[in-house]
Amino acid sequence: MIIHLDIDSFFVSAHRTLDSTLLGKAVAVGGRSNTSIFDNKSNDKKVLSESNGAFVSSILTKNSKTSKEYYKDQNGRIRGIITTSSYEARKHGVKTAMSVNEALMLCPHLIMIPPDYSLYHDLSQKLNKYLYTKTPHVEQSSIDEFYIDLSGYIEDSDIENFAKELKNEVFEKFKLPISIGIANTKYIAKLATNGAKPDGIKIVQQDEVYDFIKDKAISEFPGIGKGTEKKLLAHGIRRLGQIRDKKALFYSWKKSGIQLFNRVLGLDKEKTQTRTSKKSIGIGRTFDPILDRSEINRRLVILCRYLSFLVFKEKVTPQTFFLQISYDYKSKTKDYINTNRLFNETYFKNSILQLFKDIDIHPTHHIVQLNLSVSNFTENKNHSFDLFEYENDKKNLELANKINKLRDKYGIDIIKNATEL
């Protein structure tokens, strides 16, 4: 059988490991987009890259402000979005993605804490390594979620006791409360975890799957997004139990439909994926509206430098560059380019600046967010790069690697592009 383990209110629970006075209180962690990377002064930054595909690499700037200062903008307004809230806070209506201002109106005694991603990353990695002492079949699907395949290691009759012992050991070692769902398949195990929260265990045997799912709304199933939900509602499917009698319909949708049908009914044979590699690396920032395109270009250059450094740390060669621009009034534009060039910071920077120029469809609108990512990684030895640019790209890459080694040793801001100043 497969265990799905989820850390309850992880970010809040992480802070409680450091401050026991937060236990039993209405607490929430909320964040504001960290724009200090655009400052001309150097900042204390840290690179997180040990993710195994679960928690993407990022460059973090240490927050030096107090909690009260952190949530106020230059005009004294409360800003920020709720990332995680304790169950005590949820009783007052505090929810993920809610504005901090709204959360404080619903729960005036709410304790707000700025995020500490280094803390979360450290705890997640420690828990991941600990779980591997139990079985080699561990999949970390997010920073606070894990799958453990116990097939061949633990008898089905002993799994509940194993889960209870695991819960107790995790709390003793890390002071983290966890909820556990157990089933024969990953998706049913994850759904069972939702029924186990908070701090519980839920087992769904194979012959209990239909009774377990039949009355649940389709939106509750992991893997059914808004697009799929809309498609199912159009066919009158509102409950998971209705899917069993619609086999012909799902099979007519070919691979995606068959896959969803089997997942919902607990018939799929998907295994845990251990030590998966990253498929993309990205960075983005939200900021107060900016109209000046020269300032936007400066910020793009900075984001390119940061992302190039992460590429250097991960030792990958991306072949796809992606850019998304978000304007005020919620309009967006995005595009990507594929390339067969040897990746280097200079080429990447020039490509993104040109891509921005090409897709900036609202030049008279303010911009509030920029997101960059790279993907489609290839092995240098087994790939044919552009012969006309290869030698020049190779020289730029060698120079960039030397620079990034200095950044790695002395700080990311030790060497900047002239256009950043």
Side-chain angles (χ1 to χ4, degrees), residues 153-180:
Y153 286 86
I154 303 293
E155 294 292 334
D156 288 357
S157 58
D158 295 329
I159 284 183
E160 185 172 5
N161 286 334
F162 174 87
K164 289 179 180 177
E165 291 176 3
L166 182 63
K167 265 180 56 63
N168 292 336
E169 288 178 15
V170 168
F171 190 78
E172 288 176 5
K173 290 179 178 293
F174 307 106
K175 302 301 179 185
L176 294 172
I178 62 174
S179 294
I180 293 176

Side-chain angles (χ1 to χ4, degrees), residues 324-334 361-362 369 371:
Q324 177 175 285
I325 307 167
S326 297
Y327 301 91
D328 50 4
Y329 305 113
K330 298 184 178 180
S331 60
K332 296 180 180 180
T333 182
K334 59 185 178 181
I361 57 175
H362 300 301
Q369 186 182 64
N371 286 295

